Amino acid sequence: MTVTAISAAVSSFSGLQSLAAATGWPEALSPLFPLTVDAYAMTATRVWLSGSTGSERARRFARWNAIMAIGLSLVGNAVWHLIAAQVLTVSWVIVVLVGAVPPAVLGLLSHLAVLRSQTEAPHVPPVEGDQDEPEDTTEATPDELLIQARHADAAHRAEHGKPITRDELRKALRVSTERASHILRELRNAENRGIEMTQDH
C-alpha cells in the first residue's frame, strides 16, 4: 500500500507539474500547481472525515470539495498524457483553466475554513405531547370554555367510561396546555362542589 501510494503521488505530481509547464508556467513555479491540487484534496478530505468538524454544512461542503479535488487531479493528469501523446494540443482554453485553478482553490478553501469555524445549534427534538400544541387563539369567555369543557367531559365519559384528560380537553377546546390545565381544575372543583352539595341534602 505504501509503495502504491508513493508511486501514485509521484506520478500525479509529475503529470500536473508538466501540465503547468506546458501551459506557460515558469519552471520554478510549475511545482506549485500539483502542490495546490494535492493540498486542496488533502485539506477537504481531512475536514470531511474529521470528528472535530462540528458543522454539518462544513462537512457536506468539504465532501464535495474532496471529490472535486480528486477529479481535478484525474482530469489534469489525463490532459497532460493526451498532450504528451500528441493527441491533444495546448489551446487557450487549457491555458486559462490551468491558470484559474489556484485562485479558485484559494476561494473554496477560504469558504471551507469559515464554515468549519461555525458551530450549529444542536437539534432538540420536540417534547412528546407538544407537537400538536394548538395556538391559543380562542376568544371564548372563561364561562363559555367551562361549559364547553363540561360537554367534552360528558362525551368523553360516555365514550370511554372515564373523565377527560388534560390533553384531550386541550385538543377539544383548541387551547394551550396551561389553559387546559386551569379549565380542568375548575371543572373538577365544580364537580366536587356539586357532590358536596348533594351529600349535604
Side-chain angles (χ1 to χ4, degrees), residues 19 22-23 78-91 94:
L19 176 62
T23 56
V79 169
W80 164 244
H81 287 297
L82 290 173
I83 293 173
Q86 298 182 350
V87 177
L88 186 66
T89 58
V90 179
S91 65
I94 296 177

Side-chain angles (χ1 to χ4, degrees), residues 7-200:
S7 300
V10 171
S11 61
S12 175
F13 185 94
S14 175
L16 293 178
Q17 180 182 3
S18 299
L19 176 62
T23 56
W25 287 45
E27 184 177 353
L29 298 181
S30 59
L32 295 179
F33 182 66
L35 287 175
T36 299
V37 175
D38 291 343
Y40 174 39
M42 288 176 17
T43 303
T45 302
R46 184 174 180 180
V47 174
W48 170 23
L49 301 178
S50 176
S52 62
T53 303
S55 170
E56 186 61 30
R57 185 181 175 191
R59 193 180 300 278
R60 289 195 302 268
F61 188 74
R63 180 177 66 244
W64 286 112
N65 276 267
I67 295 172
M68 285 193 301
I70 294 171
L72 180 62
S73 180
L74 291 173
V75 171
N77 277 278
V79 169
W80 164 244
H81 287 297
L82 290 173
I83 293 173
Q86 298 182 350
V87 177
L88 186 66
T89 58
V90 179
S91 65
W92 68 269
V93 176
I94 296 177
V95 174
V96 170
L97 291 178
V98 171
V101 167
V105 168
L106 177 61
L108 290 170
L109 288 183
S110 298
H111 184 61
L112 179 59
V114 172
L115 288 179
R116 191 176 186 275
S117 65
Q118 297 176 348
T119 56
E120 296 177 348
H123 173 68
V124 180
V127 179
E128 184 177 357
D130 289 345
Q131 292 181 336
D132 296 328
E133 178 83 12
E135 185 179 357
D136 192 353
T137 58
T138 179
E139 297 181 357
T141 64
D143 291 338
E144 291 173 341
L145 285 175
L146 187 59
I147 294 173
Q148 295 176 19
R150 289 196 184 100
H151 291 310
D153 183 46
H156 191 275
R157 289 174 186 269
E159 182 177 356
H160 301 284
K162 57 183 179 181
I164 193 170
T165 63
R166 182 198 63 183
D167 289 337
E168 291 296 331
L169 183 62
R170 170 175 60 85
K171 294 177 182 179
L173 301 182
R174 302 296 299 170
V175 295
S176 65
T177 301
E178 182 179 359
R179 197 168 188 183
S181 299
H182 178 71
I183 295 172
L184 188 60
R185 283 196 299 270
E186 289 189 352
L187 183 64
R188 297 292 177 251
N189 290 337
E191 290 177 352
N192 293 334
R193 287 195 298 269
I195 294 174
E196 291 174 359
M197 292 178 61
T198 302
Q199 291 176 348
D200 292 339

